[in-house]
């Protein structure tokens, strides 16, 4: 109970933490070589797909449903820890058995839900934005080599791939799932630590280590990623994306922290 209460207070009920959550989530986009807010169309799409009570959101529910199925959104790491912890202690149910506590927690329950929805949306915004940018720059990279939708190519492993909208969406989703913190990828051991009075949101630092490694590995793989065109020519379509990703990672982990402190 004390741990669950303190985590509610320092996350979904804290305006300062909401601001920090939004800006820090944007840093993961930057670490992948994506310039935050640089694409107005992607910004609009991300905002309209959010599931909140804010004006202008919930306008692209089909897109949000698709991204839920692809494992891109609704995967906030801190909310995942907090939600599981609340389930562990049946928070808000057992504590409200007495009439006085029940009356006290009733209005707070609505505030908690609003705060939780906003906290999730702040994370979802950058994941949707990153997904849109990743899909766009993948498509543009292949188009430069004459590979438009409907064309076939052979990857470095010798697999024949047809470039379709569905393939681009799934590839972009795979990048976001593996390069931005995602609660679904936290191990059971790390998740279990939430029940102990040690550590605080232990899943988040675990995901930083996983995604940090993945960003560098993905960037290196993209630099070396080759495809064989129908005319047998071998090209490296993702080399520029890999360079952007590695540059973004280097700047975000070195310059941004010092600039933020200053």
């Amino acid at each position: 109970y004390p741990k669950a209460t303190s985590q509610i207070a320092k996350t979904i009920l804290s305006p300062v933490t909401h601001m920090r959550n939004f800006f820090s989530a944007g840093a993961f986009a930057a670490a992948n070589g994506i310039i935050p807010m640089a694409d107005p169309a992607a910004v609009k799409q991300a905002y309209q797909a959010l599931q909140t009570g804010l004006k202008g959101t919930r306008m692209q529910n089909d897109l949000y449903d698709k991204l839920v199925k692809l494992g891109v959104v609704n995967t906030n790491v801190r909310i995942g820890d907090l939600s599981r912890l609340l389930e562990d202690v049946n928070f808000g149910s057992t504590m409200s058995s007495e009439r006085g506590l029940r009356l006290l927690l009733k209005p707070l329950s609505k505030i908690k839900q609003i705060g939780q929805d906003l906290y999730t949306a702040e994370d979802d915004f950058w994941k949707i934005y990153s997904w849109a940018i990743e899909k766009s720059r993948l498509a543009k990279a292949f188009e430069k080599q004459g590979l438009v939708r409907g064309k076939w190519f052979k990857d470095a492993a010798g697999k024949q791939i047809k470039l379709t909208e569905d393939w681009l969406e799934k590839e972009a989703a795979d990048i976001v799932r593996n390069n931005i913190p995602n609660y679904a990828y936290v191990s059971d051991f790390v998740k279990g630590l939430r029940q102990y009075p040690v550590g605080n949101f232990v899943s988040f630092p675990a995901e930083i280590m996983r995604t940090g490694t993945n960003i560098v590995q993905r960037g290196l793989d993209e630099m070396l990623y080759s495809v064989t065109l129908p005319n047998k020519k071998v090209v490296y379509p993702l080399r520029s994306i890999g360079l952007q990703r590695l540059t973004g990672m280097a700047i975000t982990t070195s310059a941004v922290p010092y600039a933020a402190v200053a």
Side-chain angles (χ1 to χ4, degrees), residues 23-158:
F23 288 110
S24 65
F28 286 99
N32 279 281
I34 297 172
I35 302 175
M37 301 294 188
D39 189 324
V43 170
K44 182 179 179 181
Q45 184 181 46
Y47 182 77
Q48 290 181 340
L50 295 180
Q51 302 297 293
T52 72
L54 297 175
K55 184 178 180 180
T57 61
R58 296 182 183 272
M59 295 179 67
Q60 295 200 40
N61 292 336
D62 289 343
L63 173 62
Y64 192 85
D65 290 342
K66 178 190 292 185
L67 294 178
V68 168
K69 292 176 182 177
L70 290 173
V72 173
V73 294
N74 202 19
T75 54
N76 186 288
V77 178
R78 290 193 183 96
I79 287 295
D81 267 347
L82 178 57
S83 297
R84 292 292 181 88
L85 188 58
L86 294 177
E87 290 173 8
D88 293 338
V89 299
N90 200 14
F91 195 87
S93 177
T94 54
M95 282 193 74
S96 60
S97 57
E98 296 296 330
R99 184 171 182 274
L101 281 177
R102 187 167 61 251
L103 292 174
L104 175 65
L105 290 176
K106 189 174 182 180
L108 289 178
S109 179
K110 185 175 182 179
I111 296 174
K112 181 178 77 67
Q113 187 59 50
I114 293 173
Q116 186 170 319
D117 289 344
L118 288 174
Y119 203 89
T120 301
E122 291 150 10
D123 186 66
D124 284 349
F125 173 86
W126 288 110
K127 286 180 176 176
I128 299 171
Y129 178 80
S130 296
W131 174 82
I133 298 296
E134 294 287 5
K135 184 168 76 75
S136 175
R137 63 182 183 179
L138 280 172
K140 290 177 181 178
F142 283 111
E143 284 174 6
K144 286 183 179 179
Q145 304 299 332
L147 293 171
V148 296
R149 288 166 180 76
K151 295 284 187 178
W152 288 85
F153 66 88
K154 184 188 294 184
D155 66 10

Side-chain angles (χ1 to χ4, degrees), residues 152-162 225-228:
W152 288 85
F153 66 88
K154 184 188 294 184
D155 66 10
K159 182 181 178 181
Q160 289 284 351
I161 297 174
K162 184 178 182 180
Y225 183 82
S226 63
V227 303
T228 304

